[in-house]
């Protein structure tokens, strides 16, 4: 009788240990826009400097506008520290989104393969930055509800 109780206890203990091990191996999924794009699909790791060089050679007039400066300042800040873009004011966020639209429209007028590549990279980068802003806003609202 005593051995049956010990055996049942051991089986019960192993069952609980297995359940805890299974719970510990769950994974979180990342559904951010960047997860499906390779790193070279965004203006990161120095490619923003190559993009600026391309723009200075091909869309000269646009690079002297405030929209260009607004766009590049946020992209540069994002490259220095992605979390730093969370400190940008809502007004500056709106200016960035307006500037992004202008950058993409200006590049679309170029109609060459390199301009298309830069258009895609600028768009993906802007989407990632907006994703961070939206996620931060959702977290702030959730924290305020509690």
């Amino acid at each position: 009788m005593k051995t049956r109780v010990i055996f049942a206890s051991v089986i019960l203990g192993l069952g609980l240990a297995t359940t805890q091990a299974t719970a510990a191996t769950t994974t979180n999924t990342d559904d951010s826009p960047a997860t499906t794009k390779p790193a070279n699909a965004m203006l990161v790791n120095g490619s923003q400097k190559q993009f600026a060089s391309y723009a200075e050679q091909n869309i000269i007039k646009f690079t002297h506008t405030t929209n260009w400066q607004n766009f590049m300042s946020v992209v540069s800040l994002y490259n220095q520290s992605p979390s730093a873009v969370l400190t940008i004011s809502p007004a500056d966020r709106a200016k960035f989104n307006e500037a992004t639209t202008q950058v993409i429209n200006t590049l679309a007028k170029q109609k060459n393969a390199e301009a298309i590549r830069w258009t895609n990279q600028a768009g993906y980068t802007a989407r990632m930055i907006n994703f961070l802003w939206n996620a931060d806003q959702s977290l702030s609202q959730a924290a305020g509800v509690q």
Side-chain angles (χ1 to χ4, degrees):
M1 178 77 173
K2 187 176 181 181
T3 56
R4 286 185 180 175
V5 171
I6 293 173
F7 180 72
S9 298
V10 169
I11 296 298
L12 181 62
L14 288 174
L16 290 174
T18 304
T19 304
Q20 288 179 344
T22 303
T25 59
T26 58
T27 57
N28 292 329
T29 56
D30 185 0
D31 61 349
S32 65
T35 58
T36 59
K37 304 296 177 200
N40 64 356
M42 294 180 24
L43 297 175
V44 294
N45 300 330
S47 65
Q48 83 275 5
K49 292 178 183 175
Q50 295 170 348
F51 174 60
S53 176
Y54 170 83
E56 289 171 1
Q57 294 172 0
N58 295 286
I59 50 175
I60 300 165
K61 287 183 181 180
F62 184 73
T63 59
H64 297 294
T65 65
T66 41
N67 277 337
W68 173 255
Q69 293 169 358
N70 290 339
F71 178 80
M72 288 306 291
S73 66
V74 174
V75 170
S76 296
L77 184 63
Y78 173 76
N79 281 307
Q80 291 169 6
S81 172
S83 63
V85 297
L86 299 177
T87 62
I88 295 175
S89 71
D92 288 338
R93 291 177 185 190
K95 288 179 185 177
F96 170 75
N97 287 325
E98 179 184 327
T100 299
T101 302
Q102 288 296 315
V103 167
I104 290 171
N105 289 341
T106 303
L107 287 170
K109 294 176 186 175
Q110 296 297 307
K111 300 188 192 285
N112 62 46
E114 194 172 7
I116 292 169
R117 181 174 61 91
W118 289 122
T119 302
N120 290 335
Q121 288 187 3
Y124 292 140
T125 304
R127 284 181 48 210
M128 176 51 77
I129 291 169
N130 277 291
F131 175 81
L132 291 174
W133 287 337
N134 291 337
D136 182 56
Q137 182 179 8
S138 296
L139 288 173
S140 297
Q141 289 174 349
V145 170
Q146 295 179 5

